Amino acid sequence: MVTPARKKLPIGIQTFADIIEGGYYYVDKTPLIHRLMDEGKYYFLSRPRRFGKSLLLDTLACLFEGREALFRGLYIHDKWEWQRRHPVIRLSFGDGVLQSREALDVRIRDQLFRERDRLGVSLKRETDIAGEFSALIRDAHAQHGERVVVLIDEYDKPILDNLLEPERARALREGLKNLYSVLKDADPHLAFVLLTGVSKFSKVSLFSGLNNLNDITLDAPYATLCGYTDADIDQVFAPELPGLDREAIRHWYNGYRWGGQDVTSVYNPFDVLLLFQKRVFGPYWFESATPTFLVELLRQRGVFTPQLERWEVEAALLGRFDVDDIATEALLFQAGYLTVKAVEEPLLGYRLYTLGFPNQEVETSLSQALLPVLGVEGAPLERKTLFTRLRDHDLAGLEAHLKALYAGLPHDWYRNNPIARYEGHYASVFYSHFAALGVRVTVEDASHHGRVDMTVEAFGHLYLFEFKVVEQLPEGRALEQLKAKGYADKYRDRGMPIHLVGVEFSREQRQVVAFEVEQAKLG
């Protein structure tokens, strides 16, 4: 089989025409776009940053404008009425940071002016923003003889940029609500509407009665509308794969799911493209897309970090996102730090979602970002020490390292941080320290005997950790439980040494007071 010739990597390119005409790789999303057209008219799609939403909107714009030459060879080419050309209104709030309602109104008016000029529509009389938008839709329909397409990118960014300033965020929300409310009464003039962004604000708070807006964020048929699948990596990007560990690519970057466990998972395009360019694994998406407010909110709320690997929530909580009511799980899910691992429906209409990290990049990077929040200073040096102890299988050294780690937590931190009010702080530090290193960590790994608190696979060895919190003196119950429950049985066929590690933490001393180790017998 002949490997296709290499093409240019479309890093940061959001213009469909540039990709098609410039000799860049392109993953054909038009089968799903065609389905969108067949099934409805008003859509909303939430995806994390740098997932290709802007490119999707630009592709739609080219399609509705009838730019046939760009689509030759793509799925949709012989299925589209090219003679019908729709006027397209495109709005985006992706540029800059808006910090007041006045600045937002100026930005909106500037974009409406630009769209009027591009579509050859004049403003017949002075009015407010809602009036201008409404007039633009009506007049574009009349001028061009076809209904209007409205595409809005980063619809929520002005609010997200100001979440730590609730009063300002509320003012910006009202300004955007004033704009979006126009769509409700413009139906006779509209052919297609798609709003995209990171978060999913409630219809009541932002869309003012636009009840026919179909949220396809978790709809299985559209799970791969943005992002690359395994098949895309193996077929479209086949020329880039030689010299890279294919399984490592999957482990590091794949795993985003919008739907149940049976839904096809996707890669973040930004990650994959930079990997192919640099030929080095790195947290490219995390470093480019992580908002500062996320880590600050997690600090304020004292999140129990082991829970991030397996967080069970009701469906309603995934969409509970507003200035005055941001559910932590909704924030982490919508921003891309957690993804859907499983969906259950124990009662008809009652769905439970299990969330977890999508891949190694996110688990490692978010854990690194949270360590200072948990009171761990000098985290890079601590990681190097942990790496050395695990690489050398030095369990005595590991015990000494962990005791030093806890001894180094500032005393004031316990008094001032909400997470210190419960025992979860100890486990959070322990879990995040290992996860930040990038070794394989599993929390509450289930077997037929029960759940072991944490398993770590590193350098050909497997470590099973059981944690107990005691008042002051060690009691030996952690190691005893590991042995009594036979937790090692599940792992014996892996052919690697298994270490049982019972760890006890003194609530009074705020320190590891027992670190008992026993190697499990194989076979």
Side-chain angles (χ1 to χ4, degrees):
M1 181 177 176
V2 178
T3 302
R6 296 181 73 174
K7 296 183 178 183
K8 291 188 283 187
L9 296 163
I11 299 170
I13 299 179
Q14 302 170 353
T15 306
F16 179 66
D18 288 352
I19 290 177
I20 298 300
E21 297 172 340
Y24 292 90
Y25 290 106
Y26 176 67
V27 173
D28 187 3
K29 297 294 184 180
T30 63
L32 293 175
I33 290 174
H34 186 253
R35 181 168 182 162
L36 274 179
M37 309 305 170
D38 282 347
E39 293 188 345
K41 175 176 173 179
Y42 293 91
Y43 291 102
F44 169 80
L45 177 69
S46 167
R47 287 291 185 269
R49 290 187 176 135
R50 295 193 176 277
F51 250 91
K53 300 186 298 295
S54 298
L55 175 60
L56 172 65
L57 291 182
D58 196 66
T59 306
L60 285 163
C62 292
L63 188 64
F64 280 109
E65 289 169 350
R67 301 176 67 179
E68 179 183 4
L70 296 175
F71 293 88
R72 289 190 182 125
L74 299 183
Y75 172 88
I76 206 169
H77 181 258
D78 62 354
K79 301 171 181 65
W80 192 254
E81 296 181 55
W82 296 106
Q83 67 275 16
R84 296 188 65 182
R85 299 188 175 186
H86 295 267
V88 178
I89 297 172
R90 296 189 62 182
L91 303 177
S92 174
F93 297 98
D95 294 337
V97 177
L98 301 171
Q99 296 184 324
S100 69
R101 171 70 184 271
E102 293 73 24
L104 173 65
D105 287 350
V106 169
R107 176 69 57 82
I108 292 172
R109 280 209 151 96
D110 178 67
Q111 293 196 63
L112 293 177
F113 173 83
R114 181 199 66 201
E115 293 300 278
R116 284 196 303 270
D117 186 56
R118 189 174 59 82
L119 294 171
V121 175
S122 60
L123 182 62
K124 295 181 176 62
R125 64 179 182 274
E126 292 295 322
T127 180
D128 59 5
I129 283 176
E132 285 188 31
F133 190 25
S134 181
L136 173 59
I137 294 172
R138 286 194 315 272
D139 295 345
H141 183 192
Q143 176 94 356
H144 293 266
E146 291 285 356
R147 291 189 177 195
V148 177
V149 171
V150 175
L151 305 173
I152 301 178
D153 198 12
E154 303 279 10
Y155 89 101
D156 53 347
K157 186 173 181 292
I159 309 172
L160 295 182
D161 285 341
N162 293 278
L163 277 182
L164 293 180
E165 300 290 340
E167 187 173 340
R168 186 189 301 166
R170 281 192 289 270
L172 290 162
R173 181 190 63 192
E174 292 308 302
L176 291 170
K177 182 177 180 179
N178 181 50
L179 178 71
Y180 303 145
S181 65
V182 169
L183 297 171
K184 177 179 62 174
D185 294 325
D187 181 70
H189 307 287
L190 294 171
F192 184 84
V193 174
L194 175 60
L195 289 81
T196 71
V198 171
S199 60
K200 178 190 171 185
F201 283 84
S202 71
K203 292 178 181 178
V204 173
S205 73
L206 199 52
F207 296 119
S208 187
L210 191 59
N211 296 322
N212 53 348
L213 196 64
N214 182 9
D215 178 8
I216 58 172
T217 299
L218 285 171
D219 287 6
Y222 299 111
T224 61
L225 186 57
C226 294
Y228 299 152
T229 66
D230 259 326
D232 296 331
I233 300 298
D234 292 332
Q235 296 167 17
V236 177
F237 295 99
E240 304 298 324
L241 294 176
L244 292 171
D245 184 330
R246 182 66 182 88
E247 183 53 38
I249 298 174
R250 187 176 290 109
H251 178 64
W252 257 82
Y253 299 122
N254 192 16
Y256 296 92
R257 286 184 179 85
W258 284 278
Q261 58 269 35
D262 297 327
V263 165
T264 301
S265 61
V266 296
Y267 296 74
N268 176 275
F270 189 73
D271 269 329
V272 172
L273 294 175
L274 281 175
L275 170 67
F276 289 154
Q277 181 200 55
K278 299 179 183 298
R279 319 300 291 179
V280 173
F281 288 86
Y284 303 118
W285 173 78
F286 188 91
E287 290 177 347
S288 71
T290 302
T292 54
F293 76 81
L294 174 85
V295 173
E296 174 59 21
L297 277 177
L298 294 180
R299 184 196 68 78
Q300 291 176 7
R301 296 179 180 187
V303 171
F304 179 53
T305 63
Q307 184 182 21
L308 297 176
E309 199 196 52
R310 182 163 44 248
W311 195 329
E312 293 187 348
V313 300
E314 295 182 21
L317 290 176
L318 294 182
R320 203 182 87 201
F321 195 101
D322 207 344
V323 175
D324 303 305
D325 184 22
I326 307 173
T328 305
E329 52 270 55
L331 172 65
L332 288 166
F333 168 68
Q334 293 177 21
Y337 301 96
L338 297 181
T339 196
V340 176
K341 293 291 190 179
V343 181
E344 299 174 79
E345 193 168 7
L347 291 173
L348 188 62
Y350 177 68
R351 288 186 299 280
L352 287 173
Y353 288 79
T354 300
L355 305 180
F357 289 115
N359 50 45
Q360 189 67 60
E361 179 205 9
V362 177
E363 181 175 17
T364 298
S365 301
L366 186 58
S367 297
Q368 289 178 6
L370 289 175
L371 278 173
V373 170
L374 294 168
V376 178
E377 302 297 333
L381 182 59
E382 300 290 3
R383 280 199 305 278
K384 184 176 184 299
T385 304
L386 179 62
F387 163 78
T388 303
R389 299 295 177 257
L390 289 174
R391 181 198 62 191
D392 298 341
H393 314 301
D394 178 5
L395 289 168
L398 179 61
E399 177 184 2
H401 165 66
L402 291 170
K403 287 182 175 178
L405 183 76
Y406 282 96
L409 295 179
H411 183 74
D412 284 348
W413 189 94
Y414 283 96
R415 198 168 57 239
N416 298 329
N417 198 295
I419 201 171
R421 295 173 191 160
Y422 55 92
E423 298 167 356
H425 164 249
Y426 161 65
S428 289
V429 171
F430 205 101
Y431 163 77
S432 295
H433 186 37
F434 280 83
L437 183 61
V439 295
R440 292 179 185 253
V441 180
T442 305
V443 175
E444 292 191 351
D445 202 3
S447 71
H448 64 279
H449 299 298
R451 295 179 182 271
V452 63
D453 284 339
M454 190 171 100
T455 66
V456 174
E457 185 178 332
F459 305 103
H461 287 234
L462 191 67
Y463 303 87
L464 309 186
F465 290 95
E466 187 69 25
F467 307 127
K468 297 293 181 187
V469 176
V470 298
E471 285 302 322
Q472 184 171 3
L473 299 176
E475 300 173 7
R477 291 186 293 118
L479 181 61
E480 180 182 313
Q481 180 169 324
L482 280 168
K483 294 191 293 184
K485 294 280 189 178
Y487 285 144
D489 294 347
K490 173 183 175 180
Y491 312 97
R492 295 188 194 279
D493 61 354
R494 295 195 184 182
M496 62 177 68
I498 301 173
H499 306 275
L500 307 179
V501 186
V503 184
E504 297 185 7
F505 181 78
S506 166
R507 186 183 291 110
E508 184 175 314
Q509 297 182 43
R510 297 170 184 161
Q511 180 55 277
V512 174
V513 292
F515 191 92
E516 297 182 288
V517 179
E518 186 172 306
Q519 187 162 338
K521 295 179 180 178
L522 299 179

